[in-house]
Amino acid sequence: MVSCKKNSSSTSLSSVAQLTTFSFAAVDSLPGLAEASFTVKEMLDTGFVYNEDSIRYGTPLTKVVPKFTFAATPSSATLTLPDTTISLSGSDTINLTRQPAYLTVVSQDGTNTKVYRIEAYVHTMDPDMWRWQQLAADMYSGDFESQAVSVGGQILFFMNNGFRNHLFSSTDGAAWTDKGEPALPSSCHVRAILSDGTTLYYVEQNVLYTSTDGLNWNSEDYSASGWKLLSALMWFDEKVWFVIEQADGHLYLAMATDAGVVPTPVQLPDDFPIDNFATVCFSSTSNRGRAMVLGGYSREGASLNSRWSFETYRHGSTDSLRVKNLTIEQPTFTSLTGAAMVWYNNRIMLFGGINGDAKLQEAPCLISSDEGMTWTKPDSAHFCLPTEFGVRQKLSALVRDNNVYLLGGQTGTVVHSDVYSGRLNSIDWPK
């Protein structure tokens, strides 16, 4: 009796001709190239490969190594460029600046073929470059002081020439409407007007003035409170803060509540600024609310070089406020008044101002990347304000829709009422 056993197997070849992913291999000299994300879009008998988020500005695509994956191993994959055809091996260096490029995929069994068009986009704009433009020329002529604030979706531009107030409004910084004379004291120090986004605050002679439109104002007299209301300090941690002088002669913080301005137990140094200071609020690297009050004048009229840092922190079950003088740790900073600050691209930007000798800052802008500890001039190759803007004091700075707005100010005896906007190219690019 004889038995025979036969082992046999057969492999069916795939008829699928489909590209599933496309990318670039990492190249040390081209950082970010491997992170470029490509989309493979399937159509009826063709396909399209492209990157929605463009590759970093200036990246050359002359020597890139493309990486492909397929739904099934093809019998062949051929890349066709305008001047050459390459049968892909997986480590081919190609020049993708020679577009269009076409990838032809042939299935294992040779029954199906699919052609993909490949396009790789590189940013045509330098991400670190700033673009500046003048939105409006002089709106008003004369010797006046100005302040611009953002409230209720509008920019309000206040002016005072020592005996009269005036107000302009705009939604875009380019077209302005003359609103007439706001109901504020004729001696109004308009640079002391503060906005919390919906309401405006102004303090003069122990009276608090509030408004929602900048034209009509309500007043509340605190003369009988037992303390002096000196200035509206800042909008921080969802609260409006004030500087007051208690009966003991010392300065304290106070805050706005539904019941009016209420003193807090937070004492401030006697030389804390009460006028012509600059403020900025932001989130710190530890994700805590933080604010800075820079320069200004003390009660005695001294020009200050201080930088006060305010930070919220959790103390037990309540939120507390920590106040710190950064000047003690980093004393190399000039006295400064009439400056303006904004928080932009995770940095503090400081514009203009004059020192204790009434001399303008050397540079129109200083930048701090460490939350106000140290300051440097921006890269002049990428950040260059228009020549005619120059260096100013008593200007206003706002951030709206990822644009920095600079309004008004003074250069020597020349008073300005113009508007400029600036934008960092990469500010709203995907990170």
Side-chain angles (χ1 to χ4, degrees):
M1 191 172 180
V2 178
S3 173
C4 295
K5 184 175 181 181
K6 182 179 180 181
N7 290 324
S8 65
S9 65
S10 62
T11 303
S12 60
L13 300 178
S14 173
S15 61
V16 176
Q18 181 181 349
L19 174 70
T20 54
T21 67
F22 176 84
S23 62
F24 288 138
V27 178
D28 291 341
S29 60
L30 302 176
L33 188 62
E35 285 71 41
S37 178
F38 285 84
T39 297
V40 178
K41 185 176 182 180
E42 295 289 343
M43 290 173 274
L44 288 176
D45 54 358
T46 61
F48 182 37
V49 180
Y50 62 97
N51 55 317
E52 293 183 356
D53 181 21
S54 298
I55 299 166
R56 184 178 301 182
Y57 170 82
T59 301
L61 300 183
T62 54
K63 294 181 180 180
V64 296
V65 178
K67 296 293 184 183
F68 305 87
T69 59
F70 303 91
T73 303
S75 63
S76 68
T78 305
L79 189 65
T80 303
L81 300 169
D83 57 357
T84 186
T85 298
I86 303 171
S87 294
L88 297 176
S89 65
S91 59
D92 310 273
T93 299
I94 65 172
N95 182 354
L96 258 187
T97 59
R98 298 175 297 179
Q99 295 189 31
Y102 294 95
L103 174 68
T104 302
V105 183
V106 180
S107 64
Q108 284 180 344
D109 62 5
T111 60
N112 288 306
T113 299
K114 193 160 191 177
V115 179
Y116 293 83
R117 179 187 176 100
I118 298 175
E119 294 188 4
Y121 306 122
V122 178
H123 274 302
T124 57
M125 293 189 298
D126 186 342
D128 298 321
M129 184 68 72
W130 280 76
R131 292 172 288 146
W132 289 95
Q133 61 176 326
Q134 186 185 63
L135 298 180
D138 288 341
M139 291 178 282
Y140 190 86
S141 62
D143 185 9
F144 54 83
E145 186 178 71
S146 66
Q147 167 79 324
V149 295
S150 181
V151 64
Q154 290 200 326
I155 302 174
L156 300 183
F157 193 85
F158 291 90
M159 302 178 184
N160 179 276
N161 61 2
F163 59 89
R164 172 168 86 86
N165 302 300
H166 211 89
L167 174 64
F168 290 84
S169 69
S170 174
T171 57
D172 59 6
W176 291 84
T177 301
D178 188 335
K179 305 294 288 187
E181 298 187 19
L184 283 166
S186 59
S187 58
C188 176
H189 178 27
V190 292
R191 288 195 57 78
I193 295 174
L194 173 68
S195 172
D196 67 3
T198 58
T199 304
L200 303 173
Y201 302 83
Y202 173 68
V203 172
E204 183 175 310
Q205 297 294 322
N206 226 4
V207 177
L208 173 62
Y209 298 85
T210 58
S211 172
T212 56
D213 62 6
L215 197 59
N216 303 288
W217 292 77
N218 299 314
S219 62
E220 186 174 1
D221 194 332
Y222 282 85
S223 299
S225 64
W227 41 266
K228 295 180 182 178
L229 186 59
L230 298 182
S231 62
L233 181 62
M234 60 185 172
W235 164 246
F236 171 61
D237 193 31
E238 303 297 316
K239 304 177 186 67
V240 177
W241 299 88
F242 300 86
V243 179
I244 65 171
E245 180 182 314
Q246 286 283 21
D248 60 7
H250 295 302
L251 301 181
Y252 288 82
L253 280 178
M255 70 173 72
T257 69
D258 293 339
V261 179
V262 176
T264 74
V266 180
Q267 184 176 345
L268 299 170
D270 291 341
D271 62 348
F272 191 84
I274 64 167
D275 186 30
N276 226 343
F277 46 80
T279 62
V280 65
C281 302
F282 54 95
S283 293
S284 68
T285 53
S286 57
N287 204 31
R288 292 174 177 167
R290 182 170 286 180
M292 173 170 288
V293 178
L294 183 146
Y297 291 113
S298 67
R299 280 182 296 181
E300 288 71 31
S303 177
L304 303 171
N305 73 338
S306 56
R307 283 159 291 148
W308 292 96
S309 172
F310 291 75
E311 185 179 36
T312 56
Y313 69 99
R314 197 74 175 172
H315 182 69
S317 60
T318 61
D319 290 328
S320 299
L321 190 65
R322 180 184 291 117
V323 184
K324 183 178 181 180
N325 187 358
L326 299 184
T327 315
I328 296 174
E329 296 181 6
Q330 297 288 337
T332 308
F333 200 84
T334 183
S335 58
L336 198 64
T337 58
M341 290 194 295
V342 296
W343 178 254
Y344 189 85
N345 193 35
N346 295 318
R347 293 168 175 83
I348 301 176
M349 303 183 72
L350 169 65
F351 294 94
I354 58 172
N355 62 22
D357 297 324
K359 292 183 179 180
L360 287 167
Q361 281 263 61
E362 178 184 352
C365 178
L366 294 175
I367 293 178
S368 176
S369 300
D370 55 9
E371 302 178 358
M373 294 293 288
T374 59
W375 300 81
T376 59
K377 295 179 184 179
D379 176 12
S380 59
H382 293 97
F383 182 94
C384 187
L385 279 162
T387 305
E388 62 271 20
F389 187 86
V391 183
R392 304 180 180 185
Q393 65 152 323
K394 297 183 178 180
L395 74 166
S396 300
L398 305 171
V399 175
R400 288 164 54 93
D401 300 324
N402 283 339
N403 289 284
V404 175
Y405 290 83
L406 302 179
L407 306 94
Q410 182 176 337
T411 307
T413 59
V414 178
V415 179
H416 308 277
S417 60
D418 49 5
V419 184
Y420 289 81
S421 72
R423 186 183 187 91
L424 178 66
N425 277 341
S426 65
I427 188 65
D428 49 9
W429 291 358
K431 302 300 183 183

